[in-house]
Amino acid sequence: MIEARRLHILRAVADHRTVTAAAAALYLTPSAVSQQLTALEQETGHRLVERGAKGVRLTPAGEILLGHTNAVLAQLERAEAELAAYGSGEAGTVTVAAFATGIAQVVAPAVARLASRAPGIRIRVQDAEGDASLPMVLDRQVDVAVAVEYRGAPSADDPRLTHVPLYAEPFDAVVPVGHRLADGAEVPLAELAKDPWIGPYPGNPCHDVVVLACESAGFQPRLEHSSDDFRAVVALASADAGVALVPRSALRGMDLTGVVVRPVDGVAPTRRVFAAVRRGAEQHPLIRPVLQALGEAAQA
């Protein structure tokens, strides 16, 4: 008989590619993870993982079992959801991980909606970039992620997750007030090819949006200054340190002294924001109202 908790460990190892990283995500010791993998191999009668200098990879038998693992764990999430519904599920805590502007845009309004509509649901919010929040959901560290599409992100049909689209927003060009393009109604990105750039660090989903937009305009941005805090990005632009692309919602309420904000000429770079939960958990009586409130906040 295969134990479900060992399947969860197998998926964590497949996701993180090393026993040490999987153990850290699951709050276990590496030796405990290794022991559980060995036990799983004994249960199945197959070698499931291969260890190498660069980490761990699944064997063909491990890949077969991983496919079934995703289906089994999703079904267990559905079972928990139905049992919670049977027991009313009117009170409990849901943990939501989201990036800063996502918190301001949809999470905080959703918390306010739930306070009056479902006072028994307590929301705990954690600030996490989109590329960090999805692994947190898969590792059961949080229940819901508000994330951004990015290169390498799990796709909408990933068998481990259920995606709920929330909103899409354009990036605007931010240039110093004395910039040669400051007086135009729109900013052609190609005209910024020789400028120094300010932007998020690689790994931040917004970094991918900026780089892909510039590549589409025919150049690689010369990123001289890096910050994941858009307030810092705008402050550097106001100091004439360079130009930037910033999500429109991140500019709301910000001190824009010293800069000019203009839409991008042509097709604007866009970030697409979605909520994600472990597949099968979307019908949990605690999680379903949270997803509904997030969707309503996004539409508003």
Side-chain angles (χ1 to χ4, degrees):
M1 180 69 69
I2 298 174
E3 290 193 19
R5 63 191 178 96
R6 290 175 181 152
L7 294 179
H8 182 60
I9 289 173
L10 177 71
R11 188 164 79 177
V13 169
D15 287 342
H16 294 281
R17 305 298 177 90
T18 71
V19 168
T20 300
L26 298 173
Y27 299 102
L28 297 171
T29 64
S31 62
V33 170
S34 295
Q35 289 170 7
Q36 293 299 316
L37 287 175
T38 299
L40 185 59
E41 289 180 329
Q42 292 172 348
E43 288 173 345
T44 60
H46 292 278
R47 188 179 180 188
L48 302 174
V49 298
E50 292 181 346
R51 293 168 174 80
K54 295 184 179 180
V56 175
R57 69 180 183 87
L58 298 188
T59 64
E63 293 288 354
I64 290 172
L65 184 57
L66 180 64
H68 290 285
T69 292
N70 292 328
V72 168
L73 294 182
Q75 190 60 41
L76 286 174
E77 292 283 355
R78 295 186 188 98
E80 290 181 6
E82 288 188 22
L83 287 170
Y86 177 77
S88 79
E90 294 178 354
T93 300
V94 176
T95 304
V96 179
F99 56 99
T101 50
I103 293 173
Q105 188 86 346
V106 292
V107 177
V111 169
R113 289 171 184 268
L114 290 168
S116 58
R117 180 188 305 168
I121 299 178
R122 177 172 174 261
I123 306 296
R124 293 179 63 247
V125 180
Q126 296 185 22
D127 190 328
E129 292 297 337
D131 57 329
S133 61
L134 294 176
M136 292 169 72
V137 167
L138 290 171
D139 293 333
R140 302 183 71 89
Q141 296 173 7
V142 301
D143 301 303
V144 181
V146 175
V148 178
E149 291 182 3
Y150 60 94
R151 284 187 288 191
S155 63
D157 60 354
D158 190 294
R160 301 169 299 172
L161 295 167
T162 293
H163 284 223
V164 179
L166 293 178
Y167 64 93
E169 65 171 327
F171 281 58
D172 289 325
V174 178
V175 300
V177 290
H179 194 273
R180 64 188 181 281
L181 300 179
D183 293 334
E186 296 179 326
V187 171
L189 277 186
E191 297 295 320
L192 300 176
K194 295 183 178 180
D195 285 82
W197 278 74
I198 312 156
Y201 284 100
N204 185 314
C206 290
H207 174 89
D208 285 349
V209 175
V210 171
V211 172
L212 285 171
C214 293
E215 288 176 350
S216 296
F219 69 97
Q220 283 281 342
R222 179 163 53 92
L223 283 163
E224 292 199 356
H225 310 283
S226 298
S227 175
D228 289 335
D229 187 334
F230 287 115
R231 292 186 300 272
V233 171
V234 170
L236 285 168
S238 70
D240 204 17
V243 299
L245 289 174
V246 177
R248 188 165 292 171
S249 67
L251 294 167
R252 292 174 185 161
M254 193 181 294
D255 181 5
L256 300 177
T257 303
V259 298
V260 170
V261 178
R262 295 287 184 265
V264 173
D265 184 25
V267 179
T270 302
R271 70 171 172 182
R272 305 184 188 282
V273 180
F274 62 93
V277 299
R278 292 180 295 277
R279 189 172 291 270
E282 62 275 8
Q283 293 303 317
H284 192 287
L286 293 178
I287 293 176
R288 186 176 61 249
V290 174
L291 294 176
Q292 181 179 351
L294 288 169
E296 292 172 354
Q299 291 176 5

